[in-house]
Amino acid sequence: MSNIRIGIYGGTFDPVHLGHIRSAYAFLTACQLDRLFIMPNFIPPHKAICRGDDPMLRLQMLKIAFSPLPFYDDKIIISDFEVRQQETSYTYKTLEHFKWISDDLTILCGTDNFLTLEKWKNFERVFELANIAHIVRPNTFDESDEILSVKQRYKEKYNARIVDVPMAPIDISSTEVRERIRNHQDTSTLIPHDVRAYIDKYDIYGEHNG
């Protein structure tokens, strides 16, 4: 087993957007990762997915989004691990798999996920297996009392290892992207052009896919 620094960035990516891409690069840089595995869930445990969802299409959109970017070949890996499991995607199971590769694992969490970590299945195992990278504004004094309190509780109660990933806020949601696509609106400031072309080609978010 090696001690290379491995980052894991999971999510639905339905679809992947520029906020996801910026988060990935902020994570890669802030944590000085040797490898970053980005993987779509097969079935997310805490989020509804669109009617007609196809995890393989979400996986392909990730590959398209990251393929032309620097470091893709040697640091960022689009992983089909959770999709191949064909079951609800639980983070602790993913971490147990990657623990065979390295003892230095870090998972990326946005604030919503960070604040609800204790609701995850076998969350104590997650704290045991990995560092938690939390995306914050560059000025960490902007953090709310709730976030600071939760951080302290995680550290004291679960011996959590928490790393801050500074990133300027970007106001994009996959829900907004899907809505714009259904309404045939421009998404050039939200998702990569090649991803939009792929979505349009296969009508991924057409009316029948709700």
Side-chain angles (χ1 to χ4, degrees), residues 40 55-64 78-80 83:
M56 293 303 295
L57 292 179
R58 292 189 277 111
L59 178 70
Q60 185 60 31
M61 285 189 280
L62 276 171
K63 291 179 178 179
I64 292 169
I78 307 303
S79 171
D80 65 354
V83 169

Side-chain angles (χ1 to χ4, degrees), residues 72-83:
Y72 176 80
D73 289 333
D74 61 352
K75 291 204 172 185
I76 293 180
I77 299 167
I78 307 303
S79 171
D80 65 354
F81 172 74
E82 291 189 346
V83 169

Side-chain angles (χ1 to χ4, degrees), residues 58-128:
R58 292 189 277 111
L59 178 70
Q60 185 60 31
M61 285 189 280
L62 276 171
K63 291 179 178 179
I64 292 169
F66 282 90
S67 61
L69 301 176
F71 303 126
Y72 176 80
D73 289 333
D74 61 352
K75 291 204 172 185
I76 293 180
I77 299 167
I78 307 303
S79 171
D80 65 354
F81 172 74
E82 291 189 346
V83 169
R84 283 189 288 108
Q85 305 312 301
Q86 300 282 299
E87 62 184 13
T88 301
S89 303
Y90 292 114
T91 299
Y92 82 93
K93 287 187 175 181
T94 299
L95 291 173
E96 287 177 341
H97 169 77
F98 280 90
K99 200 69 173 177
W100 289 98
I101 303 174
S102 174
D103 269 332
D104 192 346
L105 303 179
T106 305
I107 62 168
L108 183 65
C109 285
T111 295
D112 288 347
N113 282 329
F114 182 78
L115 292 176
T116 59
L117 273 169
E118 288 167 305
K119 296 181 179 179
W120 292 15
K121 189 175 181 68
N122 289 353
F123 69 90
E124 290 177 313
R125 182 69 172 146
V126 173
F127 285 124
E128 177 185 340

Side-chain angles (χ1 to χ4, degrees), residues 42-59:
F42 182 69
I43 299 174
H46 301 298
K47 182 186 289 187
I49 55 178
C50 293
R51 184 171 68 251
D53 173 71
D54 185 336
M56 293 303 295
L57 292 179
R58 292 189 277 111
L59 178 70

Side-chain angles (χ1 to χ4, degrees), residues 111 114-115 134 136 139-156 162 164:
T111 295
F114 182 78
L115 292 176
H134 173 228
V136 298
N139 180 358
T140 56
F141 291 105
D142 288 343
E143 288 192 315
S144 69
D145 290 342
E146 180 184 15
I147 293 173
L148 293 172
S149 174
V150 167
K151 275 187 176 181
Q152 190 64 26
R153 183 171 76 251
Y154 289 169
K155 290 176 180 178
E156 292 179 354
I162 299 171
D164 288 333

